[in-house]
Amino acid sequence: MGEAYIIDAVRTPRGKGKKEVGALSHLHPQELLSQCLNALRDRNGIDPKDVEDVVAGCVSAAGEQGACIARMAVLNAGWPHDSASGVTLNRFCGSGQQAFNFAAMGVMSGQQDLVIGGGVESMSRVPMGADGSGLDGHNPHLEELHPMVPQGISADLIAATEGFSRQDLDAFAAESQRRCQLAQKEGRFDGSLIPVRNADGSVALDRDEHPRAGTTAESLGNLPPSFEGMGSYKPKGSDQTFDERAKLRYDVDSIPHVHHAGNSSGIVDGASAVLLASPDYAKAHGLKPRARIVATATAATEPIIMLTAPTPASERCLKRAGMTAGDIDLVEINEAFAAIPLQTIRNLKLDPEKVNVNGGAIALGHPLGATGGMLIGTALDELERRDATNALVTMCIGGGMGIATVIERV
């Protein structure tokens, strides 16, 4: 197997995912990804005609995010029509990381020399559920086999089975905000962060706008639970509420609804792109590699509790890399809900001081298809800042899946 080098990684700031409120909500999602593509071109002096493919994650690939947004973003960027092709994929919240992993696989296999992996999600313009797929594609047979529940119920179920209290989750969330505030103050995101510009060249947004400085566990304690009402909802045609579905499968007495807007990931807009090259291409074109991909993996778990697979995905990835969790310098675990990183830290016996050291999606927000690429760039920037060696990036995914990647500085 050949090597795949990370040459560069960029991302937009995360804008609040609300129409007429978020600073990016007036921009077409193609434009967000296009500006990332052009930033990679300009920062690295690459010829767009050498880019063989753009692999982009996008969860709600409907409306403005339909029509293969990866290829449309290439064209919208003004690149020659005979430059990069594009492909758009959906692995739910892991889409951006899967796009990066697939791009890396193309290079590592020897079939490609220069590829971009990343993703985009404009949650203000194309909200969750815009594709109309529901929880399971509206398949009665699948619903009978696996009566799934919304992810918020799954997160609360994990908290119940793990014994995480509301106080545990709020303490984690407050720490995510504190770390993010410090990272912003010290410019730790600046290496990958690009300003998003309007059509007239003015800056639309150059800083993540979702974090809430000064958040404390005490202030979070005042927020109402987000999924209590959803838990008591009985879907059409079902004789069970979502809570009853979950309790029946996991034999718990109750599901305390402990997640809320402050200890769950924020709804935001954003895009990311990572430039990957073969060693031969990098050498021939004077591109300095920043890291290499050591291993990638996915894993699946039970689809009702749904969000527990970062553990087996990480274990598989580490085994493939010939490493243990103790060998890893930094870990990025997507903070979809506070219970997810807490469970993964416990299962993998991770040092919390090495995990999400600059905060995570609770503070910054989670632009679904873009987040995976963002986490790769965040991990790489922090490895360089600390002069550390390697990082593990992992995410929980709907439908009972997880994804993981190990990267190592060159």
Side-chain angles (χ1 to χ4, degrees):
M1 182 67 68
E3 295 272 25
Y5 286 156
I6 300 175
I7 304 301
D8 200 7
V10 298
R11 71 170 179 89
T12 69
R14 295 165 172 92
K16 293 179 180 178
K18 295 182 180 180
K19 280 190 174 182
E20 301 178 1
V21 174
L24 301 180
S25 65
H26 65 290
L27 292 169
H28 196 287
Q30 291 176 13
E31 184 64 25
L32 300 181
L33 184 53
S34 293
Q35 293 199 25
C36 287
L37 299 180
N38 283 334
L40 287 179
R41 176 199 63 192
D42 296 343
R43 284 164 50 131
N44 299 280
I46 60 170
D47 184 344
K49 288 192 174 185
D50 285 350
V51 179
E52 296 176 60
D53 206 5
V54 172
V55 188
C58 184
V59 175
S60 297
E64 291 182 342
Q65 291 181 165
C68 188
I69 194 170
R71 174 58 175 170
M72 296 306 109
V74 169
L75 298 174
N76 183 71
W79 287 18
H81 65 267
D82 57 350
S83 60
S85 56
V87 61
T88 306
L89 64 88
N90 178 7
R91 198 189 283 278
F92 299 132
C93 294
S95 298
Q97 189 171 350
Q98 186 62 71
F100 169 83
N101 285 357
F102 277 162
M105 291 176 195
V107 176
M108 295 167 77
S109 71
Q111 297 301 303
Q112 295 172 310
D113 282 311
L114 193 66
V115 188
I116 292 172
V120 61
E121 207 83 34
S122 177
M123 301 179 77
S124 63
R125 298 174 72 94
V126 189
M128 287 185 290
D131 62 359
S133 62
L135 294 174
D136 53 17
H138 306 292
N139 180 354
H141 178 251
L142 177 57
E143 183 177 13
E144 184 178 347
L145 291 173
H146 300 289
M148 291 183 227
V149 299
Q151 287 192 7
I153 306 298
S154 297
D156 285 339
L157 177 60
I158 291 170
T161 58
E162 294 284 343
F164 297 141
S165 68
R166 168 75 181 256
Q167 290 72 29
D168 294 331
L169 304 183
D170 287 354
F172 181 89
E175 179 64 6
S176 179
Q177 293 279 1
R178 187 195 69 79
R179 293 182 180 189
C180 178
Q181 183 180 357
L182 178 62
Q184 286 188 309
K185 180 180 178 181
E186 295 186 352
R188 298 186 190 180
F189 300 131
D190 293 354
S192 296
L193 200 62
I194 64 166
V196 174
R197 297 188 180 276
N198 298 309
D200 62 4
S202 62
V203 173
L205 186 65
D206 61 4
R207 181 181 176 87
D208 296 304
E209 66 173 351
H210 186 269
R212 293 174 173 82
T215 297
T216 64
E218 289 72 25
S219 65
L220 292 173
N222 296 320
L223 296 175
S226 294
F227 307 109
E228 189 169 23
M230 188 181 293
S232 61
Y233 175 74
K234 188 178 292 185
K236 183 179 179 180
S238 174
D239 59 356
Q240 295 175 329
T241 66
F242 284 133
D243 274 0
E244 287 169 341
R245 284 183 174 185
K247 287 192 293 184
L248 183 64
R249 180 64 64 96
Y250 279 85
D251 194 27
V252 293
D253 294 332
S254 64
I255 301 177
H257 291 287
V258 289
H259 286 92
H260 53 76
N263 60 27
S264 306
S265 56
I267 294 174
V268 292
D269 303 334
S272 63
V274 185
L275 182 64
L276 295 129
S278 67
D280 287 347
Y281 184 92
K283 183 178 180 180
H285 293 83
L287 298 176
K288 183 179 179 181
R290 297 173 62 189
R292 70 182 187 95
I293 291 77
V294 180
T296 72
T298 57
T301 56
E302 198 280 316
I304 294 177
I305 203 165
M306 192 184 304
L307 306 174
T308 59
T311 294
S314 296
E315 290 173 337
R316 180 175 289 171
C317 192
L318 289 167
K319 182 179 180 180
R320 188 164 289 152
M323 304 171 74
T324 68
D327 297 324
I328 297 294
D329 296 321
L330 289 172
V331 181
E332 288 287 333
I333 305 170
N334 188 42
E335 295 174 358
F337 304 92
I340 311 309
L342 284 175
Q343 183 195 48
T344 309
I345 289 168
R346 174 184 286 177
N347 289 348
L348 297 179
K349 298 180 174 60
L350 299 172
D351 179 355
E353 295 304 311
K354 294 183 178 181
V355 177
N356 298 3
V357 297
N358 293 322
I362 288 172
L364 290 157
H366 175 23
L368 303 183
T371 302
M374 291 180 169
L375 294 182
I376 295 292
T378 297
L380 180 53
D381 287 343
E382 187 62 18
L383 285 175
E384 292 174 343
R385 190 184 77 85
R386 294 180 175 225
D387 194 23
T389 301
N390 54 51
L392 167 70
V393 178
T394 187
M395 303 181 71
C396 63
I397 304 174
M401 296 185 285
I403 190 167
T405 310
V406 172
I407 63 172
E408 178 182 72
R409 285 179 63 203
V410 175

